PDB file of all heavy atoms in Angstrom:
ATOM      1  N   GLU F 354     -30.225 -49.883   3.762  1.00 93.00           N
ATOM      2  CA  GLU F 354     -28.967 -50.261   4.501  1.00 93.00           C
ATOM      3  C   GLU F 354     -27.833 -49.389   4.002  1.00 93.00           C
ATOM      4  O   GLU F 354     -27.785 -48.793   2.974  1.00 93.00           O
ATOM      5  CB  GLU F 354     -28.660 -51.738   4.342  1.00 93.00           C
ATOM      6  CG  GLU F 354     -29.650 -52.641   4.699  1.00 93.00           C
ATOM      7  CD  GLU F 354     -29.973 -52.499   6.218  1.00 93.00           C
ATOM      8  OE1 GLU F 354     -29.002 -52.426   7.031  1.00 93.00           O
ATOM      9  OE2 GLU F 354     -31.219 -52.373   6.603  1.00 93.00           O
ATOM     10  N   ARG F 355     -26.724 -49.399   4.812  1.00 95.00           N
ATOM     11  CA  ARG F 355     -25.556 -48.761   4.490  1.00 95.00           C
ATOM     12  C   ARG F 355     -24.736 -49.662   3.508  1.00 95.00           C
ATOM     13  O   ARG F 355     -24.536 -50.817   3.809  1.00 95.00           O
ATOM     14  CB  ARG F 355     -24.675 -48.476   5.743  1.00 95.00           C
ATOM     15  CG  ARG F 355     -23.527 -47.606   5.521  1.00 95.00           C
ATOM     16  CD  ARG F 355     -22.922 -47.202   6.876  1.00 95.00           C
ATOM     17  NE  ARG F 355     -21.711 -47.988   7.218  1.00 95.00           N
ATOM     18  CZ  ARG F 355     -20.673 -47.408   7.759  1.00 95.00           C
ATOM     19  NH1 ARG F 355     -20.606 -46.074   7.970  1.00 95.00           N
ATOM     20  NH2 ARG F 355     -19.582 -48.125   8.059  1.00 95.00           N
ATOM     21  N   VAL F 356     -24.238 -49.080   2.420  1.00 97.00           N
ATOM     22  CA  VAL F 356     -23.458 -49.920   1.484  1.00 97.00           C
ATOM     23  C   VAL F 356     -22.113 -49.171   1.220  1.00 97.00           C
ATOM     24  O   VAL F 356     -21.946 -48.002   1.294  1.00 97.00           O
ATOM     25  CB  VAL F 356     -24.147 -50.091   0.033  1.00 97.00           C
ATOM     26  CG1 VAL F 356     -25.388 -50.926   0.171  1.00 97.00           C
ATOM     27  CG2 VAL F 356     -24.515 -48.717  -0.556  1.00 97.00           C
ATOM     28  N   GLU F 357     -21.123 -50.018   0.952  1.00 97.00           N
ATOM     29  CA  GLU F 357     -19.785 -49.483   0.570  1.00 97.00           C
ATOM     30  C   GLU F 357     -19.733 -48.976  -0.829  1.00 97.00           C
ATOM     31  O   GLU F 357     -20.330 -49.670  -1.716  1.00 97.00           O
ATOM     32  CB  GLU F 357     -18.687 -50.535   0.765  1.00 97.00           C
ATOM     33  CG  GLU F 357     -17.340 -49.926   0.674  1.00 97.00           C
ATOM     34  CD  GLU F 357     -16.228 -50.907   0.953  1.00 97.00           C
ATOM     35  OE1 GLU F 357     -16.511 -51.940   1.606  1.00 97.00           O
ATOM     36  OE2 GLU F 357     -15.117 -50.693   0.526  1.00 97.00           O
ATOM     37  N   LEU F 358     -19.195 -47.850  -1.021  1.00 98.00           N
ATOM     38  CA  LEU F 358     -19.186 -47.262  -2.458  1.00 98.00           C
ATOM     39  C   LEU F 358     -18.007 -47.872  -3.159  1.00 98.00           C
ATOM     40  O   LEU F 358     -17.015 -48.347  -2.527  1.00 98.00           O
ATOM     41  CB  LEU F 358     -19.109 -45.732  -2.343  1.00 98.00           C
ATOM     42  CG  LEU F 358     -20.356 -45.004  -1.704  1.00 98.00           C
ATOM     43  CD1 LEU F 358     -20.152 -43.564  -1.664  1.00 98.00           C
ATOM     44  CD2 LEU F 358     -21.665 -45.425  -2.481  1.00 98.00           C
ATOM     45  N   PRO F 359     -18.048 -47.860  -4.444  1.00 97.00           N
ATOM     46  CA  PRO F 359     -16.977 -48.445  -5.330  1.00 97.00           C
ATOM     47  C   PRO F 359     -15.627 -47.975  -4.977  1.00 97.00           C
ATOM     48  O   PRO F 359     -15.397 -46.771  -4.753  1.00 97.00           O
ATOM     49  CB  PRO F 359     -17.390 -48.083  -6.717  1.00 97.00           C
ATOM     50  CG  PRO F 359     -18.813 -47.803  -6.715  1.00 97.00           C
ATOM     51  CD  PRO F 359     -19.096 -47.178  -5.386  1.00 97.00           C
ATOM     52  N   GLU F 360     -14.692 -48.935  -5.013  1.00 97.00           N
ATOM     53  CA  GLU F 360     -13.299 -48.523  -4.675  1.00 97.00           C
ATOM     54  C   GLU F 360     -12.698 -47.476  -5.666  1.00 97.00           C
ATOM     55  O   GLU F 360     -12.048 -46.614  -5.267  1.00 97.00           O
ATOM     56  CB  GLU F 360     -12.486 -49.793  -4.782  1.00 97.00           C
ATOM     57  CG  GLU F 360     -10.964 -49.556  -4.371  1.00 97.00           C
ATOM     58  CD  GLU F 360     -10.214 -50.847  -4.415  1.00 97.00           C
ATOM     59  OE1 GLU F 360     -10.109 -51.446  -5.573  1.00 97.00           O
ATOM     60  OE2 GLU F 360      -9.598 -51.290  -3.466  1.00 97.00           O
ATOM     61  N   GLY F 361     -13.119 -47.594  -6.961  1.00 97.00           N
ATOM     62  CA  GLY F 361     -12.682 -46.569  -7.926  1.00 97.00           C
ATOM     63  C   GLY F 361     -13.073 -45.244  -7.637  1.00 97.00           C
ATOM     64  O   GLY F 361     -12.313 -44.279  -7.812  1.00 97.00           O
ATOM     65  N   PHE F 362     -14.341 -45.119  -7.184  1.00 97.00           N
ATOM     66  CA  PHE F 362     -14.802 -43.776  -6.823  1.00 97.00           C
ATOM     67  C   PHE F 362     -14.065 -43.260  -5.617  1.00 97.00           C
ATOM     68  O   PHE F 362     -13.630 -42.090  -5.602  1.00 97.00           O
ATOM     69  CB  PHE F 362     -16.293 -43.946  -6.467  1.00 97.00           C
ATOM     70  CG  PHE F 362     -16.925 -42.699  -5.765  1.00 97.00           C
ATOM     71  CD1 PHE F 362     -17.178 -41.549  -6.477  1.00 97.00           C
ATOM     72  CD2 PHE F 362     -17.032 -42.689  -4.457  1.00 97.00           C
ATOM     73  CE1 PHE F 362     -17.756 -40.416  -5.862  1.00 97.00           C
ATOM     74  CE2 PHE F 362     -17.540 -41.552  -3.751  1.00 97.00           C
ATOM     75  CZ  PHE F 362     -17.908 -40.434  -4.521  1.00 97.00           C
ATOM     76  N   ALA F 363     -13.917 -44.119  -4.636  1.00 97.00           N
ATOM     77  CA  ALA F 363     -13.151 -43.636  -3.379  1.00 97.00           C
ATOM     78  C   ALA F 363     -11.750 -43.227  -3.689  1.00 97.00           C
ATOM     79  O   ALA F 363     -11.279 -42.166  -3.217  1.00 97.00           O
ATOM     80  CB  ALA F 363     -13.157 -44.799  -2.370  1.00 97.00           C
ATOM     81  N   TRP F 364     -11.100 -43.955  -4.553  1.00 97.00           N
ATOM     82  CA  TRP F 364      -9.715 -43.656  -4.924  1.00 97.00           C
ATOM     83  C   TRP F 364      -9.647 -42.370  -5.693  1.00 97.00           C
ATOM     84  O   TRP F 364      -8.774 -41.537  -5.524  1.00 97.00           O
ATOM     85  CB  TRP F 364      -9.107 -44.738  -5.712  1.00 97.00           C
ATOM     86  CG  TRP F 364      -8.463 -45.817  -4.798  1.00 97.00           C
ATOM     87  CD1 TRP F 364      -9.246 -46.728  -4.029  1.00 97.00           C
ATOM     88  CD2 TRP F 364      -7.092 -46.143  -4.564  1.00 97.00           C
ATOM     89  NE1 TRP F 364      -8.336 -47.480  -3.294  1.00 97.00           N
ATOM     90  CE2 TRP F 364      -7.060 -47.168  -3.614  1.00 97.00           C
ATOM     91  CE3 TRP F 364      -5.888 -45.522  -5.012  1.00 97.00           C
ATOM     92  CZ2 TRP F 364      -5.857 -47.673  -3.129  1.00 97.00           C
ATOM     93  CZ3 TRP F 364      -4.751 -46.117  -4.585  1.00 97.00           C
ATOM     94  CH2 TRP F 364      -4.719 -47.119  -3.527  1.00 97.00           C
ATOM     95  N   LEU F 365     -10.533 -42.102  -6.594  1.00 97.00           N
ATOM     96  CA  LEU F 365     -10.585 -40.964  -7.407  1.00 97.00           C
ATOM     97  C   LEU F 365     -10.745 -39.723  -6.458  1.00 97.00           C
ATOM     98  O   LEU F 365     -10.023 -38.711  -6.690  1.00 97.00           O
ATOM     99  CB  LEU F 365     -11.738 -40.943  -8.396  1.00 97.00           C
ATOM    100  CG  LEU F 365     -11.807 -39.799  -9.411  1.00 97.00           C
ATOM    101  CD1 LEU F 365     -10.597 -39.859 -10.396  1.00 97.00           C
ATOM    102  CD2 LEU F 365     -13.090 -39.860 -10.213  1.00 97.00           C
ATOM    103  N   VAL F 366     -11.683 -39.796  -5.503  1.00 98.00           N
ATOM    104  CA  VAL F 366     -11.819 -38.688  -4.615  1.00 98.00           C
ATOM    105  C   VAL F 366     -10.638 -38.439  -3.781  1.00 98.00           C
ATOM    106  O   VAL F 366     -10.102 -37.269  -3.679  1.00 98.00           O
ATOM    107  CB  VAL F 366     -13.079 -38.966  -3.723  1.00 98.00           C
ATOM    108  CG1 VAL F 366     -13.195 -37.917  -2.596  1.00 98.00           C
ATOM    109  CG2 VAL F 366     -14.356 -38.922  -4.554  1.00 98.00           C
TER     110      VAL F 366
END
Side-chain angles (χ1 to χ4, degrees):
Chain F
E354 301 301 313
R355 188 168 105 135
V356 291
E357 187 176 341
L358 295 180
E360 186 182 56
F362 167 79
W364 276 69
L365 185 65
V366 168

